[in-house]
Amino acid sequence: MLQTFHYVLKGTCTMLYDQVIEAAAAIRASSNLRPTLALILGSGLGDLANELEQAVAIAYADIPHFVHSTVASHAGRLLLGWLENMPVVVMQGRFHLYEGYAPHVVTLPVRVMRMLGAEVLLVTNAAGGVNPAYCPGDFMLIRDHIYMPGLAGLSPLVGQDDVRLGERFPSLTLAYEPQLRAAARVVAAGQNVTLHEGVYTMVGGSNFETSAELKYLRVIGTDAVGMSTALEVIVARQVGMRVLGISLITNSATGSETGEVSHTSVVEAAKAVRTAFSALIRGIVREIANRSSEP
Ligand code: HPA
């Protein structure tokens, strides 16, 4: 069984670079915009994509090698356009391990967005607040992550032997760039928004965690828990992108809750703060643009 798994991934990964090239070429045929920043919008947070100027939207179904987003709250479109005078590429909805896709399939769009020109990845998600000080509606800057599936062998880099994909053994210390985090803090302070800073743990899903699991996650250093992001960040670092991650805390996940969490309640909580989220992300994009134009 292990042997089969090895060969399947290896066979697919030798073609991965060609897939990236083909997907990027198809996107360039629809838009010649060269984005400098890539934005991934998480569950219930996709509305921001509608604020792009001069936007061109491409359905994932029309991009070779992109799979389908099977989650109702994820629109499944890639957009190229302008946000705060910055050329951006936006994923309105992402792919997840729990949809049954392999890690290198889930993360293909990150490689494609880099190939299109993006140097910075701003990644967002909806997450449960494992830290008892976090409240629904708060934001958290991701300082570091724990990628639980990766610790068990499900890294998006498994099976690689193609140098064109990047360093096979990338370092992930400081994966979330301190300068970008500092920029985000300045923006949040100016907007009077609660922005915690902590560790995001990615679990496989799609079930939510048991109380015992949440207590365990807290013990190992988790502040927020979700089902995405960490594997995208691993690939972003492999391809040399600068990374900033923002979680929206949609529910309390300390293991002591009396009520039940559901996907619907998570999406509704995210939609309830869509205005504040949009202002924060736009402010951060503006700040990044200003800083990168400084001599
Ligand atoms: N657990 C996992 N993923 C999540 C949660 C949660 O509590 N909330 C939003 N995404």
Side-chain angles (χ1 to χ4, degrees):
M1 173 62 199
L2 251 186
Q3 192 85 338
T4 314
F5 179 67
H6 174 74
Y7 280 116
V8 168
L9 271 180
K10 219 172 148 78
T12 325
C13 281
T14 46
M15 290 160 38
L16 192 54
Y17 186 77
D18 300 327
Q19 294 183 353
V20 177
I21 302 264
E22 284 170 26
I27 294 161
R28 282 200 189 108
S30 299
S31 165
N32 55 14
L33 185 95
R34 186 175 168 85
T36 53
L37 182 136
L39 178 59
I40 302 181
L41 298 171
S43 296
L45 300 174
D47 285 355
L48 178 56
N50 302 330
E51 297 180 23
L52 292 197
E53 286 161 33
Q54 298 170 44
V56 170
I58 310 166
Y60 293 157
D62 294 331
I63 305 175
H65 312 297
F66 272 45
V67 286
H68 300 262
S69 180
T70 64
V71 190
S73 58
H74 290 250
R77 301 194 305 168
L78 192 80
L79 295 98
L80 292 104
W82 294 82
L83 190 67
E84 300 293 337
N85 292 324
M86 214 174 183
V88 297
V89 53
V90 180
M91 286 186 75
Q92 197 177 29
R94 53 153 61 89
F95 310 128
H96 303 86
L97 289 185
Y98 66 71
E99 293 174 89
Y101 300 131
H104 65 280
V105 173
V106 170
T107 52
L108 179 87
V110 175
R111 296 188 187 282
V112 173
M113 293 192 291
R114 177 75 187 105
M115 178 82 53
L116 291 173
E119 291 156 14
V120 176
L121 175 66
L122 205 175
V123 63
T124 69
N125 57 55
V130 177
N131 184 324
Y134 291 7
C135 298
D138 290 352
F139 295 101
M140 185 191 88
L141 202 48
I142 306 180
R143 188 182 62 239
D144 204 347
H145 76 222
I146 299 172
Y147 175 41
M148 300 290 284
L151 298 179
L154 276 180
S155 165
L157 312 189
V158 163
Q160 283 186 7
D161 55 3
D162 185 344
V163 288
R164 297 172 301 172
L165 294 172
E167 163 64 44
R168 193 177 197 176
F169 303 100
S171 166
L172 291 178
T173 45
L174 296 182
Y176 299 83
E177 192 190 280
Q179 291 89 328
L180 289 176
R181 279 189 272 139
R185 275 195 297 269
V186 167
V187 174
Q191 296 183 353
N192 254 332
V193 163
T194 304
L195 184 64
H196 304 287
E197 189 156 352
V199 172
Y200 174 88
T201 294
M202 177 180 161
V203 294
S206 59
N207 57 283
F208 289 100
E209 304 71 39
T210 65
S211 296
E213 286 165 347
L214 291 172
K215 287 177 181 152
Y216 162 72
L217 292 180
R218 183 66 187 146
V219 169
I220 63 169
T222 304
D223 293 295
V225 61
M227 303 174 192
S228 67
T229 302
L231 74 181
E232 296 157 351
V233 170
I234 292 170
V235 168
R237 291 303 300 143
Q238 187 193 37
V239 297
M241 296 174 92
R242 304 167 59 203
V243 175
L244 179 66
I246 308 269
S247 294
L248 163 65
I249 305 301
T250 50
N251 56 289
S252 171
T254 61
S256 308
E257 288 72 30
T258 44
E260 301 266 351
V261 61
S262 69
H263 183 65
T264 308
S265 67
V266 164
V267 172
E268 270 163 19
K271 287 201 179 293
V273 294
R274 54 153 80 94
T275 312
F277 173 77
S278 160
L280 179 64
I281 299 300
R282 292 186 77 126
I284 291 172
V285 171
R286 198 164 49 236
E287 184 72 18
I288 293 173
N290 288 344
R291 291 185 181 207
S292 56
S293 65
E294 279 168 12

